[in-house]
Each structure stands twice: as C-alpha cells, then as structure tokens.
Amino acid sequence: MQNAAMNIEDKGGDQLVLHVGPQHPGSGHFRIIVTVDGDYIVGAKPDPGYVHRGAEKMAEYRDYIQNIPHLERPVIIDATGVTLPYVLTAEKIIDVEAPDRAQYIRMIMAELNRIISHLYWLGIYGIFLGHSTMFMWPMGDRELFIDLAESIGGTRVTFSYVVPGGVRNDMPTNFKERALKTFDYFEKRIEEYKKIFFNNPLMSARTEGIGTMDKKDAIRLGITGSNLRACGIDSDTRKDETYCLYDRVDFEIPTRKEGDSYARCIVRLEELQQSMNIMKQVFDLIEPGPIKQVIGGVMRGEPGEAFVRTEAARGTMFYHIVSDGEKNPYRVKISVPSFRNLIGMTHLLVGSRLADMPAIYWSLDYWPVEADR
Amino acid sequence: MPSNLDTENQLVKSLTDQFKNKIKTEYVKHNRIKISTNQDNLKSLATSVKELGFEQVISHGGTDYPDNNVFRIEYHIICVSKKKLRSIMFSIMTEISKDTPEIETLIDIFPSAEFHEQETYENFGITFTGHPRMEKLLLPEDWDDIPPLRKDYILPGRG
Amino acid sequence: MVNDPTLNLLVGKASDILDNTLEKNVREPIRFLVNWGRLYSLWPVHLETACCSIEFGAASGPRHDVERFGMLEAFGSLRQCDVLVVQGTVTRKMAPRMKWVYEQMPEPKWVIAMGACAISGGLYMDSYNVLQGVDKIVPVDVYIPGCPPRPETLIQGIIELQNKIRKSKV
Ligand code: SF4
C-alpha cells in the first residue's frame, strides 16, 4: 500500500492505485495492487497470503502418513501432483521403494490429475475472456476424468491416494476400457475446443501478443511449467530428471516460441493430448503385481535430508524434507510453481493495458491456494 | 539408475579449485550436489555457481537449529536451458547465527529468489540486506508473534 | 449509501416491525409472496476463500448445474448479492475482508459455511493462521460438511437454505 502510494508521487500525479481482489470476479483468493496511468499499468505489487494456512509448520507436528491429507489441500485440483513429490521425498527418507505396478498407477493418477487441472483452468480462462461456452465444455468434460480418477482414488478430488511404499488400493479391473473410451471421446472434443475457442478470432485478438515473456526473462525470473515451455524452452521434469517410470514411456514436450498468453494456452491444450498418450502407453506396460510395500510400525526416517522435484500441472513442484530420526519430519519445505510464477506476473503486467489483465493473469494458471500453502 | 557421477564431480572440482578450503562439499550424489560455505563467501559462491550455468533458484528456505543456535539457509539452484545440466540440482548452504540473523541478499545474482527470500524473512526473521522489500508477504499484516517457522514457536493447541 | 451497514440494519428493523404489526391473515400471503421471490434467485458473492471453491465451481458446471435450483452463478456485484458462500478456510488475513464483504451486502442476506474449515477449522485445527469457524465473525445459516463437500452436498445445503427462507419473516 505504501509502496503504491509512493509510486504516484514519483511519477507525477496522473496515476491511480487499484486494488484488484480479494473480492473480485477476476482475482480469486488473491490481491494485486496495480498502479495505472490512463489505461496502462505502470506498477504491480502482488499481495498473496489470503489462504496461507501454515502447511510447513503443521507438517512438523504430524508424522509422514498424517501429513499427506493436509499437504494435498493446497493444490486440490492437482491432488496427485502435489502429494507425489512429498511421498517420493518421504520414501527417500524412510528408505523404501514402491513396486513397479504402484509406480505405473501413480503415473496414471498424476496424468489424470494434470488433465483435470488443465481443464479447470481452461474453463476459468474461458469465462474470464467472456466465453461462457468455454466454461461449460471443459467443466463438463472434466467430470468424465474426475469419474475415472474417482474409480481409482475413491473421492472426487482429494484422493490422498499415493502413500509411502506404494498406492492405497489397486485399479478397478475394467479401468483400461473405460479410460480408453473417455480418451476417444475427449480427443474429438479437443478438435471442437480448437474450433470454438482457440481458432476463434476474438480469442486470438485478446491473447496473441499479449503478455509476451522473453526467453531470457523467463529463465532469469524462475518461471516454470507450461509458462516456461511457452517461451521455447523444452524443460519438463518428467524428462529432465525422471521419477516414477517416466523413462519407459515416450512423449513429447509441447513448446511454443512466442511466449504470449496464446502460446501458454496452446501449450496446455497440447499437454492434454500428451497426458493421454502417456496413459495409453502405461496401460500396455502395466503388469499385475504388488501395489504396495508394506511398512511395519511407525515410519521413521534416518537422520538426513532429501529433496525431490516433479512436474505437477503448473510446473515443477519441489519438496525438501529434513529428518532427525523422529517420527515427524524436522522441517518440510515446499516450493510450489505458482509461487515462483508470481514474480513473472508482476513482470508481465507492468506495461500492459488494464483490460488485458485477466488475459495475462489467468494465462499463467496461477492458483493462489497453492502459492500461499 | 546410472550412477556415473562424472558431471557432478567435474562441477564440484571446478568450484573447489577456485575456492580451495573456503567451501566444504557436503555430498555429491546422483543429480544432487550440496556445498556449504560461510556467510561471507556465499555471494561469491553463488556467482560462480551461476557461471557454471545454473540459473534459477527453484527453492530457498531456512531451517532452525536451536541447539546450535544457528539458522541454516539453503538455495537450491537448477538449470533449465542446458540439456546436460538439467538433471542436476545444486544446493548451496550456509549457517548464520541466531543472534544476528542477517545475510546479504542474492537477488542481484538470482532475481528468482526475490519472493523466496521475503518468505524466509517473515518465517524466520532473517533480514536480507539489500533486498528492496523486506516486508510481510504471506503472513497477515498485523502478525506480531515470533516468526512461525522458528522452533520455539509452538502451534496454538499443541503447546 | 444503500449498502451502509446502518441503513442495512434499518431495513432489517423495518421489516421486523412490518412483520409484527400485520394481521396474521394479511401477513401470511405477503410472507409467501416475498419469500417466494427471494427463493429462486439467490445471488452468491464471488468470494473464494480456499480450496472448496473448486467444488463450488464444479457445481455451476453442466453436470451439477446449481442454477436449476435457483442459485445463480457467482459473477455479480456485491450490491446485488444475497448469499455469502464461505468456500473453505478463512485465514486471519481474509477474515476482516470477509466481514467487510458481509457488511456491504444488502439485507436480507444469508451465509452458507461450506466445508469443514469454514465450520470449525477442520483439517487446520492447529494452524496459526486459520480462523476456527466462520461463525465467530458472521452469522451462519447453513453448514455444509465435507472436505470438500461434493457438489451434490452443496446443492442439498442450498435447498436447506431455501427451506429456511421459505419460513422467514418479510
Ligand atoms: S474443507 Fe477441505 S477442501 Fe474445503 S477449504 Fe477446508 S481443506 Fe479445503
């Protein structure tokens, strides 16, 4: 607040300070304080923390299993994306490894969750560009994937499905057929999405060339995930440092050169297809076997530390767990992609028009709950 | 798992050549390097790490060790543009005394650390000198208790 | 000025007085008419407080479609809203803002506490930054349990709220 007020004095009086959020249809649980000069944004200061629940501190009071549900909540749309790295880190500390079948099921869940999350984002992006159909369609199709995930994980969104040593339960037997049927349907839908939204001149007018991020800036500022790939860098943790069994499947990393809002959208749309391709391959690779390495008694780690990163829906998710040999972790540090993309938002907003703000803001797929933890 | 540590050892060697005994290699594992140094050398170490090609701070955080009366501060740095270095995560670490929790900021070397450092500031009360915005980020504006991630802060209801 | 909290109170009082002074046989039809008008056009405030908001979003989607029950989509201005759905955790930073939002809404208004967090702190019962139950700062009409509640549960909560409105005063 004070900073923003100072900006006005510095730049000579013609400016206005706007508080966008936290109660604003276009902001979510987040506030950004923008200084506008006429129609142009000259200063942007994010004010996150409206959903800060202290997950890192709470994790020090719970043991490795009890930590799973509350660490899942920050990214409830991408529940497996956020619990998987935690579990992988915990596994390193407790020194267990999940059997192959469990790893494959984890991959299926992670990819399903990526689709669920991307579709939610697409719906929200649609409505904030004033395109109601693009809210309804992805939201409707998302339910199909939620059904699939629910048949494995048991609940709609909060599965707490991945546990140290494996996964909680096996897949239903007819899962492959159901999934393939859904994929067939959804592949056709992607074409329709393109027709109605992505190739729509109104949509491209609002997003092409808007919020362009330079490749150098993206690296310098620490942008991650699809936002980084839209700037022409084919970095994806699934390939860079493979975890689970991602090295056994073959998939592409969609990239774009432009780095604008449209590129970010298209990258995410193509990732939907890639996720389905991964799952199809996994269905062929997966073999019957145990799904869990049972750990007797309370899980206790060796004193030491471990850090793991994985590719969640929004980018690289990073966990650092320090253990002192007790049943609770000594320190859990979570570095979430949204939090790291936040700095990019400030960078992109300055210099753009106020009317482009929703187009830029939502194109970064910023999820405030995740950023605040 | 390939356990060839060539790249990792090379990287560490180039640093030890430069810094001699000012730095200490904590461990070199597959894809993980951790180097510790003292507070004064952290900045020059970070500069050298950046010259090696590591360009983004993926995570930065602190840990409180009340027994030794220190805060451990770590920066985890990755590379996204060079294929060869992408799989490696480079951690640099230093310890500062809890009595004078002050350290120079690294945001002029790694701008990506800006919000991370702000978060460490509010969670541990560590001041980063040279950081333009040492103010609350996630915590409420009226937070007047001790910083929450210190070990002597006990959660309400758990005391 | 219409949204001034004091004026709001005044409107509330006025309807109380009206309700008390009217004869029973006049009061009942008026009540019915007024409440019937309110029932099926509930405008929720767009105030997301935490992760329950995705199930709120899913409920407006085509599969669950709360609009068929008379709950509109959350894209209106505060000045036309009459339901505040507290979508999950309210943190210490959000609490004063939520209270302002509540105060700015015109009478009559209702509050739904959605999710375990909004009811009692839920999963975050020992967190340092979470308000343990929103009923400490705003009066709650309907509690919807779950973490997060399924959209069907949300719909049931809305129907419960409508039942409550049906019986309320003018
Ligand atoms: S009740 Fe559960 S889903 Fe809802 S806000 Fe709380 S933690 Fe999130």
Side-chain angles (χ1 to χ4, degrees), chain A residues 53 73 76 158, chain C residues 50-52 87-89 114-118 121 123-124 146-149:
Chain A
R53 299 181 283 201
R73 264 36 180 199
I76 201 172
T158 47
Chain C
C51 28
C52 276
Q87 301 161 14
T89 329
M114 178 182 181
C117 289
L123 205 58
Y124 294 92
C147 182

PDB file of all heavy atoms in Angstrom, chain A residues 53 73 76 158, chain C residues 50-52 87-89 114-118 121 123-124 146-149, ligand 1:
ATOM      1  N   ARG A  53      -2.019 -21.102   5.227  1.00  0.00           N
ATOM      2  CA  ARG A  53      -2.508 -21.878   6.360  1.00  0.00           C
ATOM      3  C   ARG A  53      -1.371 -22.526   7.131  1.00  0.00           C
ATOM      4  O   ARG A  53      -1.597 -23.337   8.005  1.00  0.00           O
ATOM      5  CB  ARG A  53      -3.478 -22.938   5.854  1.00  0.00           C
ATOM      6  CG  ARG A  53      -4.663 -22.306   5.178  1.00  0.00           C
ATOM      7  CD  ARG A  53      -5.656 -23.315   4.693  1.00  0.00           C
ATOM      8  NE  ARG A  53      -5.201 -23.944   3.465  1.00  0.00           N
ATOM      9  CZ  ARG A  53      -6.007 -24.546   2.619  1.00  0.00           C
ATOM     10  NH1 ARG A  53      -7.288 -24.608   2.863  1.00  0.00           N
ATOM     11  NH2 ARG A  53      -5.555 -25.098   1.531  1.00  0.00           N
ATOM     12  N   ARG A  73      -4.142 -30.484   0.276  1.00  0.00           N
ATOM     13  CA  ARG A  73      -5.160 -29.446   0.153  1.00  0.00           C
ATOM     14  C   ARG A  73      -4.725 -28.214  -0.619  1.00  0.00           C
ATOM     15  O   ARG A  73      -5.540 -27.640  -1.337  1.00  0.00           O
ATOM     16  CB  ARG A  73      -5.668 -29.038   1.545  1.00  0.00           C
ATOM     17  CG  ARG A  73      -6.941 -29.708   2.023  1.00  0.00           C
ATOM     18  CD  ARG A  73      -7.052 -31.069   1.615  1.00  0.00           C
ATOM     19  NE  ARG A  73      -8.271 -31.750   2.045  1.00  0.00           N
ATOM     20  CZ  ARG A  73      -8.363 -33.054   2.072  1.00  0.00           C
ATOM     21  NH1 ARG A  73      -7.331 -33.797   1.735  1.00  0.00           N
ATOM     22  NH2 ARG A  73      -9.479 -33.639   2.417  1.00  0.00           N
ATOM     23  N   ILE A  76      -5.663 -28.702  -4.494  1.00  0.00           N
ATOM     24  CA  ILE A  76      -6.707 -29.704  -4.502  1.00  0.00           C
ATOM     25  C   ILE A  76      -7.100 -30.085  -5.935  1.00  0.00           C
ATOM     26  O   ILE A  76      -7.542 -31.190  -6.175  1.00  0.00           O
ATOM     27  CB  ILE A  76      -7.882 -29.141  -3.684  1.00  0.00           C
ATOM     28  CG1 ILE A  76      -8.793 -30.221  -3.194  1.00  0.00           C
ATOM     29  CG2 ILE A  76      -8.616 -28.126  -4.435  1.00  0.00           C
ATOM     30  CD1 ILE A  76      -9.811 -29.672  -2.245  1.00  0.00           C
ATOM     31  N   THR A 158      -9.991 -35.080  -3.599  1.00  0.00           N
ATOM     32  CA  THR A 158      -8.917 -35.264  -2.625  1.00  0.00           C
ATOM     33  C   THR A 158      -8.700 -36.742  -2.391  1.00  0.00           C
ATOM     34  O   THR A 158      -9.324 -37.340  -1.531  1.00  0.00           O
ATOM     35  CB  THR A 158      -9.303 -34.603  -1.305  1.00  0.00           C
ATOM     36  OG1 THR A 158     -10.631 -35.006  -0.996  1.00  0.00           O
ATOM     37  CG2 THR A 158      -9.254 -33.117  -1.403  1.00  0.00           C
TER      38      THR A 158
ATOM     39  N   ALA C  50     -10.911 -20.480  -0.083  1.00  0.00           N
ATOM     40  CA  ALA C  50      -9.882 -21.523  -0.146  1.00  0.00           C
ATOM     41  C   ALA C  50     -10.289 -22.602  -1.126  1.00  0.00           C
ATOM     42  O   ALA C  50     -11.086 -22.360  -2.020  1.00  0.00           O
ATOM     43  CB  ALA C  50      -9.614 -22.116   1.228  1.00  0.00           C
ATOM     44  N   CYS C  51      -9.779 -23.803  -0.892  1.00  0.00           N
ATOM     45  CA  CYS C  51      -9.867 -24.835  -1.917  1.00  0.00           C
ATOM     46  C   CYS C  51     -11.275 -25.335  -2.187  1.00  0.00           C
ATOM     47  O   CYS C  51     -11.528 -25.906  -3.224  1.00  0.00           O
ATOM     48  CB  CYS C  51      -8.935 -25.997  -1.605  1.00  0.00           C
ATOM     49  SG  CYS C  51      -8.566 -26.280   0.100  1.00  0.00           S
ATOM     50  N   CYS C  52     -12.225 -25.145  -1.278  1.00  0.00           N
ATOM     51  CA  CYS C  52     -13.589 -25.585  -1.557  1.00  0.00           C
ATOM     52  C   CYS C  52     -14.147 -24.904  -2.793  1.00  0.00           C
ATOM     53  O   CYS C  52     -15.136 -25.356  -3.351  1.00  0.00           O
ATOM     54  CB  CYS C  52     -14.502 -25.282  -0.384  1.00  0.00           C
ATOM     55  SG  CYS C  52     -14.464 -26.531   0.879  1.00  0.00           S
ATOM     56  N   GLN C  87     -16.358 -20.355   1.073  1.00  0.00           N
ATOM     57  CA  GLN C  87     -15.853 -21.560   0.422  1.00  0.00           C
ATOM     58  C   GLN C  87     -14.559 -22.037   1.067  1.00  0.00           C
ATOM     59  O   GLN C  87     -13.510 -21.984   0.482  1.00  0.00           O
ATOM     60  CB  GLN C  87     -15.648 -21.290  -1.065  1.00  0.00           C
ATOM     61  CG  GLN C  87     -16.924 -20.871  -1.754  1.00  0.00           C
ATOM     62  CD  GLN C  87     -16.665 -20.181  -3.071  1.00  0.00           C
ATOM     63  OE1 GLN C  87     -15.564 -20.227  -3.597  1.00  0.00           O
ATOM     64  NE2 GLN C  87     -17.676 -19.543  -3.615  1.00  0.00           N
ATOM     65  N   GLY C  88     -14.664 -22.457   2.292  1.00  0.00           N
ATOM     66  CA  GLY C  88     -13.494 -23.077   2.903  1.00  0.00           C
ATOM     67  C   GLY C  88     -12.813 -22.204   3.929  1.00  0.00           C
ATOM     68  O   GLY C  88     -13.406 -21.292   4.502  1.00  0.00           O
ATOM     69  N   THR C  89     -11.538 -22.504   4.139  1.00  0.00           N
ATOM     70  CA  THR C  89     -10.753 -21.856   5.173  1.00  0.00           C
ATOM     71  C   THR C  89     -10.818 -20.341   5.125  1.00  0.00           C
ATOM     72  O   THR C  89     -10.663 -19.754   4.067  1.00  0.00           O
ATOM     73  CB  THR C  89      -9.278 -22.226   4.992  1.00  0.00           C
ATOM     74  OG1 THR C  89      -9.204 -23.515   4.440  1.00  0.00           O
ATOM     75  CG2 THR C  89      -8.535 -22.146   6.289  1.00  0.00           C
ATOM     76  N   MET C 114     -19.312 -23.466   3.927  1.00  0.00           N
ATOM     77  CA  MET C 114     -19.071 -24.655   3.111  1.00  0.00           C
ATOM     78  C   MET C 114     -17.752 -25.276   3.513  1.00  0.00           C
ATOM     79  O   MET C 114     -16.725 -24.604   3.529  1.00  0.00           O
ATOM     80  CB  MET C 114     -19.059 -24.238   1.641  1.00  0.00           C
ATOM     81  CG  MET C 114     -18.768 -25.355   0.689  1.00  0.00           C
ATOM     82  SD  MET C 114     -18.734 -24.711  -0.985  1.00  0.00           S
ATOM     83  CE  MET C 114     -18.412 -26.201  -1.894  1.00  0.00           C
ATOM     84  N   GLY C 115     -17.771 -26.521   3.842  1.00  0.00           N
ATOM     85  CA  GLY C 115     -16.531 -27.234   4.123  1.00  0.00           C
ATOM     86  C   GLY C 115     -16.163 -27.244   5.591  1.00  0.00           C
ATOM     87  O   GLY C 115     -16.530 -26.359   6.364  1.00  0.00           O
ATOM     88  N   ALA C 116     -15.424 -28.266   5.962  1.00  0.00           N
ATOM     89  CA  ALA C 116     -15.031 -28.441   7.354  1.00  0.00           C
ATOM     90  C   ALA C 116     -14.278 -27.229   7.893  1.00  0.00           C
ATOM     91  O   ALA C 116     -14.452 -26.839   9.051  1.00  0.00           O
ATOM     92  CB  ALA C 116     -14.154 -29.679   7.473  1.00  0.00           C
ATOM     93  N   CYS C 117     -13.466 -26.622   7.059  1.00  0.00           N
ATOM     94  CA  CYS C 117     -12.663 -25.487   7.512  1.00  0.00           C
ATOM     95  C   CYS C 117     -13.537 -24.320   7.926  1.00  0.00           C
ATOM     96  O   CYS C 117     -13.290 -23.670   8.932  1.00  0.00           O
ATOM     97  CB  CYS C 117     -11.754 -25.009   6.402  1.00  0.00           C
ATOM     98  SG  CYS C 117     -10.453 -26.120   6.054  1.00  0.00           S
ATOM     99  N   ALA C 118     -14.569 -24.046   7.111  1.00  0.00           N
ATOM    100  CA  ALA C 118     -15.423 -22.912   7.424  1.00  0.00           C
ATOM    101  C   ALA C 118     -16.246 -23.191   8.668  1.00  0.00           C
ATOM    102  O   ALA C 118     -16.595 -22.280   9.410  1.00  0.00           O
ATOM    103  CB  ALA C 118     -16.335 -22.610   6.237  1.00  0.00           C
ATOM    104  N   GLY C 121     -12.640 -25.018  11.325  1.00  0.00           N
ATOM    105  CA  GLY C 121     -11.198 -25.079  11.164  1.00  0.00           C
ATOM    106  C   GLY C 121     -10.740 -26.377  10.553  1.00  0.00           C
ATOM    107  O   GLY C 121      -9.692 -26.429   9.933  1.00  0.00           O
ATOM    108  N   LEU C 123      -9.358 -29.525   9.035  1.00  0.00           N
ATOM    109  CA  LEU C 123      -8.008 -30.069   8.944  1.00  0.00           C
ATOM    110  C   LEU C 123      -6.989 -29.118   9.562  1.00  0.00           C
ATOM    111  O   LEU C 123      -5.937 -29.526  10.021  1.00  0.00           O
ATOM    112  CB  LEU C 123      -7.720 -30.233   7.459  1.00  0.00           C
ATOM    113  CG  LEU C 123      -6.720 -31.218   6.975  1.00  0.00           C
ATOM    114  CD1 LEU C 123      -7.112 -32.580   7.463  1.00  0.00           C
ATOM    115  CD2 LEU C 123      -6.729 -31.216   5.466  1.00  0.00           C
ATOM    116  N   TYR C 124      -7.321 -27.851   9.570  1.00  0.00           N
ATOM    117  CA  TYR C 124      -6.353 -26.855  10.023  1.00  0.00           C
ATOM    118  C   TYR C 124      -6.629 -26.425  11.452  1.00  0.00           C
ATOM    119  O   TYR C 124      -6.465 -25.273  11.810  1.00  0.00           O
ATOM    120  CB  TYR C 124      -6.373 -25.664   9.064  1.00  0.00           C
ATOM    121  CG  TYR C 124      -5.875 -26.064   7.715  1.00  0.00           C
ATOM    122  CD1 TYR C 124      -6.745 -26.487   6.736  1.00  0.00           C
ATOM    123  CD2 TYR C 124      -4.517 -26.092   7.453  1.00  0.00           C
ATOM    124  CE1 TYR C 124      -6.284 -26.922   5.515  1.00  0.00           C
ATOM    125  CE2 TYR C 124      -4.052 -26.526   6.237  1.00  0.00           C
ATOM    126  CZ  TYR C 124      -4.934 -26.933   5.270  1.00  0.00           C
ATOM    127  OH  TYR C 124      -4.458 -27.371   4.076  1.00  0.00           O
ATOM    128  N   GLY C 146     -17.966 -31.567   4.873  1.00  0.00           N
ATOM    129  CA  GLY C 146     -17.229 -32.228   3.798  1.00  0.00           C
ATOM    130  C   GLY C 146     -15.905 -31.557   3.599  1.00  0.00           C
ATOM    131  O   GLY C 146     -15.708 -30.424   4.022  1.00  0.00           O
ATOM    132  N   CYS C 147     -14.992 -32.256   2.984  1.00  0.00           N
ATOM    133  CA  CYS C 147     -13.676 -31.646   2.757  1.00  0.00           C
ATOM    134  C   CYS C 147     -13.122 -32.129   1.440  1.00  0.00           C
ATOM    135  O   CYS C 147     -12.365 -33.053   1.407  1.00  0.00           O
ATOM    136  CB  CYS C 147     -12.713 -31.986   3.880  1.00  0.00           C
ATOM    137  SG  CYS C 147     -11.119 -31.207   3.673  1.00  0.00           S
ATOM    138  N   PRO C 148     -13.460 -31.529   0.343  1.00  0.00           N
ATOM    139  CA  PRO C 148     -14.526 -30.559   0.156  1.00  0.00           C
ATOM    140  C   PRO C 148     -15.872 -31.261   0.035  1.00  0.00           C
ATOM    141  O   PRO C 148     -15.907 -32.417  -0.332  1.00  0.00           O
ATOM    142  CB  PRO C 148     -14.140 -29.909  -1.168  1.00  0.00           C
ATOM    143  CG  PRO C 148     -13.466 -30.986  -1.919  1.00  0.00           C
ATOM    144  CD  PRO C 148     -12.762 -31.824  -0.912  1.00  0.00           C
ATOM    145  N   PRO C 149     -16.984 -30.558   0.300  1.00  0.00           N
ATOM    146  CA  PRO C 149     -18.295 -31.165   0.078  1.00  0.00           C
ATOM    147  C   PRO C 149     -18.476 -31.460  -1.398  1.00  0.00           C
ATOM    148  O   PRO C 149     -18.030 -30.681  -2.238  1.00  0.00           O
ATOM    149  CB  PRO C 149     -19.273 -30.076   0.520  1.00  0.00           C
ATOM    150  CG  PRO C 149     -18.480 -29.066   1.226  1.00  0.00           C
ATOM    151  CD  PRO C 149     -17.089 -29.170   0.754  1.00  0.00           C
TER     152      PRO C 149
HETATM  153  S1  SF4 D   1     -12.858 -28.017   3.968  1.00  0.00           S
HETATM  154 FE1  SF4 D   1     -11.210 -29.103   2.918  1.00  0.00          FE
HETATM  155  S2  SF4 D   1     -11.463 -28.574   0.774  1.00  0.00           S
HETATM  156 FE2  SF4 D   1     -12.626 -27.091   1.960  1.00  0.00          FE
HETATM  157  S3  SF4 D   1     -11.246 -25.376   2.291  1.00  0.00           S
HETATM  158 FE3  SF4 D   1     -11.034 -26.732   4.039  1.00  0.00          FE
HETATM  159  S4  SF4 D   1      -9.314 -28.064   3.495  1.00  0.00           S
HETATM  160 FE4  SF4 D   1     -10.031 -27.104   1.620  1.00  0.00          FE
END
